[in-house]
Structure formats: C-alpha cells, structure tokens
Amino acid sequence: MQVEQRDLELIQEAIKVIDRNFDEVNERHTVGAAVRCANGKVYAGVNLYSIHGSCAEFIAIGAAITAGEREFETIVATRAQSEGGILLPPCGNCREMLVRYAPNIQVLVQTGNGVEKYSIQELIPHH
C-alpha cells in the first residue's frame, strides 16, 4: 500500500512523543507510537518498562479507546530521534492486540525499501 504524506506526519508524531519522554538513564521509555483513527485524530503513547511492561502500541491504542475511539486507520512505532528514529515493527503481542482491536488497521514499517505500509492481516496471517 502507498505511503502518504499524512503517514509521514504520523511517524513524526511518534518520534515527538518518544523524544519528549525518552529515558536513557533507566530505559523505561524507549519506544513511541502514534495511531491515527478513522476520523483523523491522532493519539500517541510510549512504552512502559517494568516487570510486566507495556508496548507503546498498547498505550497509544488505549489512549484512543479511553477517548472513545473505536475505528483505527494506521499505527507506527519508533525509537527516539537520538536513537536513529527507526521504525519498529509490532511485536507478536502487539500484532495479536491489533488484529483483535483494529482488524483493518494499516501498520507503517521500515524495510530495505524504506517505509512501507501493510495491513495487520498481512503481518499476522491465519491468526
């Protein structure tokens, strides 16, 4: 699927949230995520690192749900700009959560060809 300008803006939102909250001392917050809902609103979150931490994608989706959102369009996760700002593909737990909460969501990932967009169904087939 074609990456659009608004997808690049979503990446910048994810970078902004982790840049504001990056914790290089304790490494409690090292990943930021941003999700765009079907209505165009964007919600962001950072990972929480603890014994049973939570990925940034969970926090971003949770923030959106808390605000009443139920339809999700695109999500992205990234490291801090100081860490290269690279996009991170969702882990297995995040993929499972996304396919359950947002079965039609698109995911921005970094590949050898640059930024590409995949459906969550492509990233977790036969779930």
Side-chain angles (χ1 to χ4, degrees):
M1 185 166 279
Q2 184 72 24
V3 174
E4 304 168 8
Q5 178 62 35
R6 62 193 197 133
D7 295 327
L8 300 177
E9 292 166 3
L10 190 66
I11 293 168
Q12 289 307 308
E13 289 300 316
I15 289 172
K16 278 196 268 187
V17 74
I18 192 54
D19 280 352
R20 282 193 312 265
N21 296 288
F22 186 72
D23 178 4
E24 66 182 82
V25 174
N26 298 307
E27 296 187 356
R28 289 187 179 142
H29 315 295
T30 57
V31 176
V35 60
R36 185 176 54 243
C37 299
N39 62 13
K41 290 183 181 178
V42 173
Y43 298 86
V46 297
N47 70 306
L48 301 176
Y49 181 75
S50 185
I51 295 171
H52 300 289
S54 186
C55 295
E57 294 95 329
F58 271 86
I59 302 299
I61 291 283
I65 290 172
T66 299
E69 304 291 350
R70 296 295 184 271
E71 295 185 35
F72 308 101
E73 187 179 274
T74 307
I75 194 165
V76 64
T78 184
R79 298 284 285 177
Q81 195 70 25
S82 62
E83 299 285 304
I86 60 170
L87 304 188
L88 301 170
C91 72
N93 286 336
C94 288
R95 291 176 194 216
E96 189 65 35
M97 177 272 296
L98 289 170
V99 81
R100 291 173 187 256
Y101 278 88
N104 298 313
I105 201 165
Q106 301 294 309
V107 182
L108 298 172
V109 296
Q110 194 160 353
T111 71
N113 297 322
V115 177
E116 296 186 4
K117 187 166 28 174
Y118 295 93
S119 73
I120 190 60
Q121 303 296 330
E122 291 175 291
L123 295 180
I124 187 168
H126 315 292
H127 57 86

